[in-house]
């Protein structure tokens, strides 16, 4: 898996250029070069040419490769391909300048993971999404890359509002809105968000940036072609299913450009809240009759971060519900969604959990959702219960059920290793943030994303040290559990999670409908920004 992760990283950087380079074998492979990255010479190792028989490809294999390349290229706009290649060249140049500045300021060169993260940010679009994939895949990529890519910023300079208005006008019609704030709430690699009004109704408009679909197709096509060529050159890579993984990511990312999918997720979550009779929890209502694949219109929710304890504890805020009951409500709702829905919200950081002045918990941004098989779900259920009870041997047993191993695992040692890692979770740290609802200003403590990721990486590391390989969906679901564990320590430090009847544990209770999906339900990860 580590080998696959490293190959994937190389593909991400090299794909815009790979097909522009001649592919061949011979003396050139043995030459050393004096290339420099970020001011640091990169020493090339002498490569021994493979045996001639391992390089041989039949005419049928060669024709199949060329056919696949041709098919992929036909779906890509040639002009966009040229444009993206030029943009990639500029991104590399800008990255080298960034690295030179870092070297000048710190007196040392940036690490390779840091250099790649900066390059991905400068490349934008597809590469930001690939970086997010790396950050959420601790079981697939080396820890130093996962830790670094958590810092990756999906924040770009906003495009002129005139271009946004053109998209809205062609897709929905500007006359549908009585007001449009020309200052965006946020601008990411794929979309830009603006506040607006429909009549007297406050809404948010999420607009796909012009040209992003063509750019994504060009980038992902090069990435896929690169993986196919690498498998052609080195058949051993077929064992990692590299091309199949890239193909799946390509199809998934292109599907994410359809904002109607996110709108449907909002509808389904709101139906879940109504069906289960969950009170004091909301999600934005999408205006589907005003939404298209390129534009999503939904309610604007005014609230403070879930971790803004000071504001939540003020007299009059939220009807006096208080921070402890608020986090219990959020935890119960998310737990119930995992139990009774075919998918779950897979990005419950504090910015996506809001509290309104009426005391309602708001789940927003359904760009990342996950789906797991019942077998993995049961194992994570047991893991969550063991985590809450500080039963580290129980955690080890649960992880045994979800991991693959070909050797005997010492459960007691594994449990002690997990205990050592989890002790680091008890030292809560974070940053102070300021938020405002109306005239009320509050101070909140925000969870350190990199610290949380490090705990997850440590868990993965001790798991592998004990002979287990965990599936990627483990990281996706367990990270949400760690979020809530941290929130509970900050907002309700004295709460007995296992003993308090207000808490519906992941193992059962709390409206538990049946989960969707069969025994072999596939893992689904969607990212729409």
């Amino acid at each position: 898996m580590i080998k696959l992760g490293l190959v994937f990283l190389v593909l991400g950087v090299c794909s815009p250029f790979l097909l522009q380079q001649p592919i061949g074998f011979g003396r050139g492979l043995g030459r050393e070069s004096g290339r420099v990255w970020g001011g640091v010479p990169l020493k090339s190792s002498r490569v021994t040419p493979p045996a001639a028989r391992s390089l041989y490809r039949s005419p049928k294999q060669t024709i199949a490769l060329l056919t696949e390349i041709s098919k992929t290229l036909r779906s890509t706009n040639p002009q966009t391909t040229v444009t993206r290649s030029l943009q990639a060249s500029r991104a590399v140049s800008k990255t080298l300048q960034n690295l030179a500045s870092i070297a000048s300021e710190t007196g040392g060169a940036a690490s390779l993971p840091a250099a790649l993260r900066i390059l991905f940010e400068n490349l934008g679009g597809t590469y930001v999404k690939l970086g997010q994939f790396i950050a959420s895949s601790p079981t697939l990529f080396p820890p130093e890359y996962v830790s670094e890519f958590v810092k990756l910023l999906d924040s770009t300079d906003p495009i002129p509002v005139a271009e946004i208005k053109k998209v809205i006008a062609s897709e929905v019609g500007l006359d549908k809105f009585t007001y449009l704030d020309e200052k965006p709430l946020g601008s990411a690699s794929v979309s830009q968000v603006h506040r607006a009004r429909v009549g007297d109704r406050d809404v948010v408009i999420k607009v796909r940036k012009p040209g992003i679909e063509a750019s994504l197709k060009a980038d992902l096509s090069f990435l896929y072609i690169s993986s196919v060529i690498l498998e052609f050159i080195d058949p051993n890579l077929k064992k990692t299913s590299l091309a199949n993984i890239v193909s799946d990511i390509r199809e998934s990312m292109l599907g994410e450009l359809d904002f109607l999918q996110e709108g449907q997720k909002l509808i389904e979550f709101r139906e879940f809240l109504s069906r289960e009779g969950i009170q004091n929890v909301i999600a934005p209502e999408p205006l589907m009759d005003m939404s298209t694949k390129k534009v999503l219109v939904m309610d604007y929710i005014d609230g403070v971060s879930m971790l803004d304890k000071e504001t939540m504890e003020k007299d009059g805020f939220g009807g006096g519900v208080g921070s402890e009951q608020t986090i219990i409500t959020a935890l119960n709702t998310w737990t119930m969604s995992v139990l009774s829905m075919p998918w779950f919200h897979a990005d419950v950081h504090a910015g996506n959990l809001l509290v309104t002045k009426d005391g309602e918990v708001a789940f927003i941004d359904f760009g990342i959702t996950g789906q797991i098989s019942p077998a993995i779900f049961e194992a994570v259920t047991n893991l969550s219960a063991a985590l809450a009870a500080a039963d580290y041997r129980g955690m080890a047993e649960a992880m045994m059920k979800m991991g693959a191993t070909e050797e005997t695992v010492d459960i007691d040692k594994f449990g002690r290793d997990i205990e050592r890692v989890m002790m680091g979770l008890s030292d809560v740290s974070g940053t102070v943030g300021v938020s405002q609802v109306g005239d009320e200003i509050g101070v909140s403590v925000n969870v350190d994303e990199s610290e949380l990721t490090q705990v997850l990486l440590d868990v993965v590391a001790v798991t592998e040290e004990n002979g287990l390989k965990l599936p990627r969906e483990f990281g996706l679901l367990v990270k949400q559990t760690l979020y809530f564990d941290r929130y509970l320590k900050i907002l309700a430090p004295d709460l007995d999670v296992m003993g308090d009847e207000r808490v519906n544990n992941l193992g059962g209770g709390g409206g538990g409908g049946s989960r969707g999906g069969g025994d072999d339900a596939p893992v689904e990860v969607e990212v729409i920004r």
Side-chain angles (χ1 to χ4, degrees):
M1 281 300 182
I2 295 298
K3 179 180 179 182
L4 171 60
L6 289 171
V7 169
F8 199 73
L9 284 171
V10 172
L11 277 176
V13 178
C14 297
S15 58
F17 312 103
L18 184 58
L19 294 185
Q20 301 176 28
Q21 307 301 324
I23 299 176
F25 302 97
R27 291 179 299 174
L29 284 173
R31 277 181 266 181
E32 297 186 0
S33 65
R35 291 174 296 172
V36 174
W37 178 261
V40 179
L42 299 180
K43 184 178 180 180
S44 299
S45 301
R46 185 173 298 277
V47 181
T48 302
R53 60 183 175 84
S54 69
L55 298 179
Y56 176 75
R57 300 291 176 270
S58 69
K60 184 178 180 180
Q61 290 174 313
T62 303
I63 290 173
L65 171 68
L66 295 177
T67 300
E68 187 66 24
I69 291 175
S70 177
K71 177 183 175 182
T72 304
L73 288 177
R74 281 199 300 271
S75 67
T76 305
N77 187 314
Q79 183 177 354
T80 303
T81 301
V82 173
T83 300
R84 284 299 288 158
S85 295
L86 293 174
Q87 290 173 342
S89 297
R90 289 194 291 269
V92 170
S93 177
K94 182 179 180 180
T95 300
L96 292 175
Q97 293 175 10
N98 295 149
L99 295 175
S101 297
I102 292 174
S104 176
E105 294 171 2
T106 65
S111 65
L112 180 56
L116 286 174
R117 189 258 305 166
I118 294 170
L119 176 60
F120 275 35
E121 286 181 348
N122 289 333
L123 285 168
T126 311
Y127 294 89
V128 169
K129 290 188 172 293
L130 287 175
Q132 293 171 337
F133 179 84
I134 293 167
S136 63
S137 306
T139 61
L140 185 61
F141 295 94
E144 60 270 25
Y145 289 90
V146 174
S147 297
E148 186 62 41
F149 275 87
V150 167
K151 306 173 187 176
L152 188 141
L153 302 175
D154 188 9
S155 178
T156 60
D157 293 334
I159 63 175
V161 71
E163 294 186 37
I164 293 296
K165 287 182 176 179
K166 285 181 182 179
V167 177
I168 297 174
S170 63
E171 293 291 314
V172 181
L174 282 171
D175 58 325
K176 301 285 184 65
F177 301 93
T178 54
Y179 167 76
L180 174 64
D181 191 345
E182 297 194 349
K183 183 178 179 180
L185 287 173
S187 177
S189 56
V190 168
S191 63
Q192 190 158 301
V193 179
H194 289 257
R195 285 190 65 175
R197 285 196 198 96
V198 177
D200 295 329
R201 185 174 182 175
D202 287 330
V203 299
V204 168
I205 310 176
K206 182 175 182 177
V207 182
R208 186 206 298 174
K209 290 183 175 179
I212 191 64
E213 181 176 11
S215 295
L216 275 175
K217 282 186 175 180
D219 290 345
L220 292 168
S221 293
F222 272 120
L223 185 63
Y224 175 65
I225 290 172
S226 300
S227 66
V228 171
I229 290 175
L230 283 179
E231 283 192 352
F232 182 80
I233 294 173
D234 184 1
N236 289 325
L237 288 175
K238 282 186 175 292
K239 298 176 183 178
T240 67
S241 300
L242 178 62
N244 289 336
I245 291 174
V246 174
S247 178
D248 290 343
I249 293 174
R250 178 172 177 263
E251 291 182 12
S252 176
M253 283 190 180
L254 291 177
E256 290 158 12
L257 294 176
D258 183 356
F259 288 175
L260 291 176
Q261 292 185 14
E262 185 175 356
Q264 184 59 37
K265 286 290 194 300
L266 286 169
I267 291 174
E268 292 173 10
F269 190 78
R270 287 170 57 84
E271 289 175 346
F272 150 74
L273 296 176
S274 176
R275 181 176 65 250
E276 298 293 344
I278 299 175
Q279 303 295 318
N280 299 318
V281 180
I282 60 175
E285 179 181 359
L287 283 67
M288 298 301 283
D289 59 337
M290 296 181 63
S291 298
T292 70
K293 291 184 176 182
K294 295 182 179 180
V295 174
L296 176 61
V297 182
M298 56 192 146
D299 283 334
Y300 172 75
I301 295 180
D302 195 3
V304 299
S305 165
M306 172 62 67
L307 292 183
D308 192 344
K309 184 175 182 178
E310 181 176 324
T311 296
M312 285 190 280
E313 295 295 342
K314 286 182 177 179
D315 291 338
F317 185 88
V321 173
S323 59
E324 182 175 276
Q325 182 57 52
T326 298
I327 186 57
I328 289 175
T329 299
L331 174 60
N332 286 346
T333 301
W334 181 81
T335 298
M336 201 180 303
S337 72
V338 176
L339 286 166
S340 60
M341 294 186 69
W343 53 267
F344 61 92
H345 194 305
D347 193 22
V348 291
H349 65 73
N352 286 341
L353 290 177
L354 305 180
V355 182
T356 71
K357 59 184 178 182
D358 296 323
E360 296 174 311
V361 174
F363 284 77
I364 65 171
D365 192 353
F366 285 72
I368 303 179
T369 62
Q371 178 178 322
I372 61 173
S373 67
I376 297 297
F377 170 78
E378 181 181 358
V380 175
T381 293
N382 296 335
L383 179 67
S384 178
L387 172 63
D391 177 7
Y392 303 110
R393 193 179 191 282
M395 291 180 67
E397 291 175 344
M399 294 173 74
M400 273 283 294
K401 293 180 180 179
M402 76 175 74
T405 180
E406 296 179 354
E407 55 189 86
T408 302
V409 176
D410 184 339
I411 293 292
D412 292 323
K413 175 184 177 300
F414 190 14
R416 291 192 297 272
D417 289 344
I418 293 176
E419 180 178 9
R420 171 173 50 81
V421 171
M422 297 310 296
M423 286 299 99
L425 192 61
S426 62
D427 298 325
V428 177
S429 65
T431 57
V432 176
V434 179
S435 57
Q436 182 171 0
V437 176
D439 296 329
E440 295 289 335
I441 298 178
V443 179
S444 62
V445 179
N446 298 317
V447 171
D448 187 338
E449 176 78 10
S450 61
E451 184 179 337
L452 194 69
T453 299
Q454 187 57 52
V455 172
L456 183 56
L457 285 171
D458 290 342
V459 171
V460 172
V462 299
T463 301
E464 294 182 346
E465 288 170 5
N466 282 274
L468 284 171
K469 289 292 183 182
L470 296 173
R472 179 178 182 265
E473 60 267 36
F474 163 83
L476 189 66
L477 188 59
V478 171
K479 189 167 186 178
Q480 314 315 307
T481 304
L482 290 176
Y483 272 130
F484 279 111
D485 186 75
R486 185 66 61 88
Y487 300 157
L488 287 167
K489 284 182 168 61
I490 294 174
L491 299 176
D494 299 323
L495 181 70
D496 179 4
V497 177
M498 298 302 294
D500 196 309
E501 62 182 14
R502 295 175 297 170
V503 180
N504 297 326
N505 294 316
L506 194 60
S514 61
R515 295 187 69 251
D519 289 343
D520 297 319
V523 176
E524 173 187 313
V525 178
E526 302 179 37
V527 182
I528 307 175
R529 294 296 185 192

